[in-house]
Amino acid sequence: MGVATTRADKMIRLEELQDDDTPPSKPPAQPADFETAIDAAGFGMFNILLLLVAVAAAMGTVYETSTMSYILPSAECDLHLTLIDKGVLNAITYAGMISSAILWGYVADTKGRKKLLVYGYLADTVCVLGGALSQNVVQLMIFKYLGGFTMSGPFAVLMTYLTELHGRQYRQRIMMMVGIMFSVGTLSLPGLAMGILPQPWDIQILGLSLHAWQVFVAISAVPSILSCAFFPFFPESPKFLMSRGRNKEALEAFRFIYALNKRQPRSAYPIKELANEQSPKSDAQQLEQTVDTANGKTAVDKAQPKDADVELASKPKSSLHLGLLQLRPLFVKPYLGLSLLVYLLNFCVLLGQNTMRLWLPQLFASIKEYEQLASSQAHSESTSICNIVDYSVNRTQRQLEAAALGDPMAECTVNVSAASYTNNLIVASAGLVSYALAGVLVNLVGVKRIMCMCLFAAGSCALGMYWSSSSTTTVALASVFVSVGSISGTSLISASLSMFPTALRTMIVSLSMMVGRMGSLVGNIFFPALMTTGCLPPFLMVSCFMFTGCLLASFLPVKNKAALK
């Protein structure tokens, strides 16, 4: 009886299975996180096109901060420039970048990377072309300030955008390529100057007088024009979209990347659902909770429903509040002393580096002009840096006095030739080589040691220029200075990232770069002022700040190949 019942039950189950035509369901696919999704999109045509556009973007950034240093010898007569005017023109771009640093960081985190890149480079194009049409020094200063104000955003977002559109396998190599992109921009600038600035152009358009230096400035807008023209064809950063809870848009971005890289239809993208990476607690909120806990407040006092957090996170007031909260840990223990050390060190490094780098074109042009004058008059005086500084200061003063008196016999002349920019090309090439060597040297001796050695070498080179007795020695010392100064700046950013926890890294780099730009501003204004007092003071100033940086770097708590916090 029992056996018959068992057989009957089995037959009933078999009939039920046969009647059910529904196939067995597969286990649901797990939602993919960002890293899995970007890896599935692959590397191919999309990434190559992105990097090509990024080259133009990087060149636009370099041109915005460096073109003034090349036009100063050519524009001296047209704009009646004093030494202080030249210093302000070199520095005012950094003033604009300083004043907008916090604003652009907030915009990038709330409005997205792509919009900031497109509209940032578009605004920079307008500012550069406005500077090219300037007819006096005040107009040029205004447009250079506005150019720095607008460029601060794309400058910071470009690297973030590139890292967020590449998988882990390629991310470090992309950052190395970014360094090469900026070096390409630095190398192309003196080459462009050699072809344009020596030309005796005087173009009259709609009552405006345009000379070679204005054409040079206008052409320097081309990279920004290309950037704002091509970035609209690229998607918004899927990492940003996922962090804002816009997973549907992020999935479309991944499909777009996949279709270009794999040359497959978008529907073939293997990932159908993305994980929710919109954390109800941001890094700033977590930091706030940590501080509040230390002050005796409980988690219950700070608790809010998840939906409320998500709603608040979308409001600008809340986003700004969270941004300010992220600053708090940097101004209290245990990070207060360390952050102040990093700020001061960056101030010293960028003051010395950008002051010397931006005044070298003027010095090299004066060297070439002095050599031509000496050969025509059979002078036997050496082309020491002190002779060059004295000649440059006295020449500028004489021409300004003649212009003020309206003396027709004392015509202001500019002696700029292609050879005037050969030395700048040599220095830029040395900087490119230094980037290639930096990676190997950092792995061999460590970030802290290489920073100390490079800062000491930079200080020695700056001081050694005072005793330079020939143009060859001056170019050699300048090349070494710019090379080791670049390595020092890069090493400092790397060290800063390893000394602070993840939640503070972006903010510490942003604040230290802002303070460093203040150093660039101060250095470029004081350098010409000190030139009028003598030969030694300007180089002594740069040297002292580099040696001070070397001393400060020795106190950094950095270990070679330390694990990230």
Side-chain angles (χ1 to χ4, degrees):
M1 184 71 178
V3 176
T5 304
T6 303
R7 287 179 179 175
D9 291 340
K10 288 182 179 180
M11 290 296 291
I12 292 171
R13 290 197 200 101
L14 183 59
E15 289 175 0
E16 289 175 352
L17 290 174
Q18 289 175 347
D19 291 339
D20 188 5
D21 295 332
T22 306
S25 60
K26 296 180 181 179
Q30 291 294 326
D33 62 7
F34 169 76
E35 295 295 349
T36 304
I38 194 67
D39 288 341
F43 184 96
M45 182 59 67
F46 171 84
N47 305 87
I48 293 171
L49 293 174
L50 177 62
L51 291 175
L52 288 176
V53 178
V55 171
M59 290 175 67
T61 302
V62 172
Y63 287 3
E64 180 60 56
T65 57
S66 305
T67 48
M68 287 299 100
S69 63
Y70 285 90
I71 71 165
L72 295 180
S74 301
E76 183 175 359
C77 292
D78 295 330
L79 300 178
H80 307 293
L81 299 177
T82 65
L83 285 173
I84 298 299
D85 288 336
K86 294 178 181 181
V88 172
L89 282 172
N90 271 336
I92 200 163
T93 301
Y94 291 103
M97 297 176 86
I98 292 166
S99 59
S100 65
I102 296 177
L103 168 68
W104 289 127
Y106 164 68
V107 171
D109 287 339
T110 55
K111 303 301 181 184
R113 286 58 161 127
K114 176 183 171 180
K115 286 183 179 179
L116 183 53
L117 289 170
V118 173
Y119 293 115
Y121 281 109
L122 177 61
D124 181 67
T125 300
V126 174
C127 294
V128 173
L129 294 178
L133 297 175
S134 298
Q135 301 296 297
N136 57 63
V137 67
V138 175
Q139 292 176 1
L140 185 58
M141 286 180 180
I142 291 173
F143 280 112
K144 288 307 297 179
Y145 172 84
L146 294 175
F149 187 95
T150 57
M151 183 53 75
S152 180
F155 176 81
V157 169
L158 178 62
M159 287 182 282
T160 302
Y161 187 69
L162 289 176
T163 56
E164 291 178 350
L165 286 172
H166 288 87
R168 286 167 291 189
Q169 182 181 354
Y170 304 98
R171 207 164 285 156
Q172 290 186 343
R173 276 178 278 181
I174 291 302
M175 285 298 95
M176 291 175 61
M177 291 190 67
V178 169
I180 295 174
M181 291 174 192
F182 283 103
S183 297
V184 168
T186 305
L187 262 175
S188 63
L189 205 52
L192 199 62
M194 290 173 67
I196 297 175
L197 291 179
Q199 304 300 325
W201 293 333
D202 187 4
I203 306 169
Q204 301 295 325
I205 299 178
L206 300 176
L208 300 177
S209 180
L210 303 181
H211 301 88
W213 66 268
Q214 290 163 300
V215 176
F216 174 76
V217 174
I219 291 177
S220 71
V222 171
S224 293
I225 294 173
L226 293 175
S227 299
C228 69
F230 287 112
F231 270 126
F233 295 99
F234 291 87
E236 177 58 89
S237 162
K239 179 66 175 175
F240 167 79
L241 293 172
M242 292 178 70
S243 70
R244 306 296 293 179
R246 295 156 62 181
N247 282 15
K248 186 176 180 180
E249 296 174 60
L251 189 58
E252 285 301 316
F254 285 126
R255 287 171 177 164
F256 177 80
I257 299 170
Y258 175 84
L260 272 179
N261 286 341
K262 303 295 185 180
R263 299 184 182 180
Q264 301 270 341
R266 298 188 185 190
S267 58
Y269 183 57
I271 293 173
K272 306 303 179 184
E273 185 180 0
L274 297 175
N276 181 17
E277 294 193 358
Q278 185 182 25
S279 175
K281 279 187 180 178
S282 67
D283 292 333
Q285 287 172 304
Q286 292 174 5
L287 290 168
E288 182 186 26
Q289 182 177 351
T290 302
V291 173
D292 289 333
T293 303
N295 292 335
K297 294 182 181 180
T298 64
V300 176
D301 296 330
K302 303 294 293 183
Q304 288 185 2
K306 178 177 177 179
D307 293 339
D309 279 338
V310 174
E311 183 181 355
L312 285 172
S314 64
K315 295 183 179 180
K317 183 178 179 180
S318 178
S319 300
L320 185 60
H321 175 63
L322 295 179
L324 294 174
L325 284 177
Q326 197 170 1
L327 290 172
R328 285 180 58 189
L330 296 176
F331 294 96
V332 296
K333 293 182 179 181
Y335 295 112
L336 175 61
L338 184 58
S339 59
L340 290 177
L341 179 61
V342 171
Y343 300 151
L344 187 56
L345 182 52
N346 218 30
F347 182 90
C348 294
V349 171
L350 291 189
L351 184 148
Q353 169 72 2
N354 285 329
T355 298
M356 187 68 75
R357 179 178 66 85
L358 294 177
W359 274 93
L360 284 178
Q362 174 70 55
L363 291 175
F364 289 153
S366 298
I367 287 174
K368 188 58 63 176
E369 186 177 347
Y370 183 82
E371 288 176 339
Q372 292 173 352
L373 180 66
S375 62
S376 64
Q377 298 181 2
H379 285 179
S380 60
E381 293 184 23
S382 66
T383 53
S384 68
I385 197 67
C386 284
N387 287 340
I388 300 303
V389 169
D390 291 341
Y391 170 76
S392 180
V393 171
N394 294 333
R395 177 183 177 280
T396 301
Q397 192 63 33
R398 284 196 306 270
Q399 292 190 343
L400 287 172
E401 289 175 355
L405 295 173
D407 186 359
M409 301 299 294
E411 182 183 357
C412 183
T413 58
V414 174
N415 300 314
V416 176
S417 64
S420 303
Y421 300 99
T422 305
N423 293 333
N424 295 286
L425 205 57
I426 295 172
V427 173
S429 301
L432 180 60
V433 174
S434 72
Y435 273 114
L437 295 176
V440 179
L441 292 175
V442 167
N443 288 332
L444 288 176
V445 300
V447 173
K448 181 176 177 178
R449 288 179 182 174
I450 195 173
M451 198 188 312
C452 291
M453 290 189 295
C454 286
L455 287 172
F456 183 82
S460 301
C461 288
L463 194 59
M465 290 182 74
Y466 171 71
W467 287 283
S468 174
S469 58
S470 67
S471 59
T472 304
T473 307
T474 302
V475 172
L477 289 172
S479 299
V480 175
F481 179 92
V482 171
S483 298
V484 296
S486 299
I487 295 174
S488 301
T490 306
S491 300
L492 178 55
I493 294 175
S494 177
S496 301
L497 292 174
S498 66
M499 290 186 296
F500 290 87
T502 303
L504 299 177
R505 281 180 197 143
T506 302
M507 191 57 67
I508 192 68
V509 171
S510 299
L511 289 177
S512 62
M513 288 301 294
M514 185 173 70
V515 174
R517 286 166 184 160
M518 291 179 184
S520 303
L521 178 69
V522 171
N524 275 285
I525 292 176
F526 275 90
F527 191 87
L530 292 173
M531 283 176 65
T532 60
T533 64
C535 174
L536 179 61
F539 298 102
L540 185 61
M541 176 194 75
V542 173
S543 179
C544 286
F545 275 100
M546 285 307 202
F547 284 137
T548 302
C550 177
L551 181 63
L552 293 173
S554 64
F555 291 101
L556 289 176
V558 182
K559 294 181 180 179
N560 191 23
K561 296 182 181 179
L564 291 177
K565 295 182 180 180

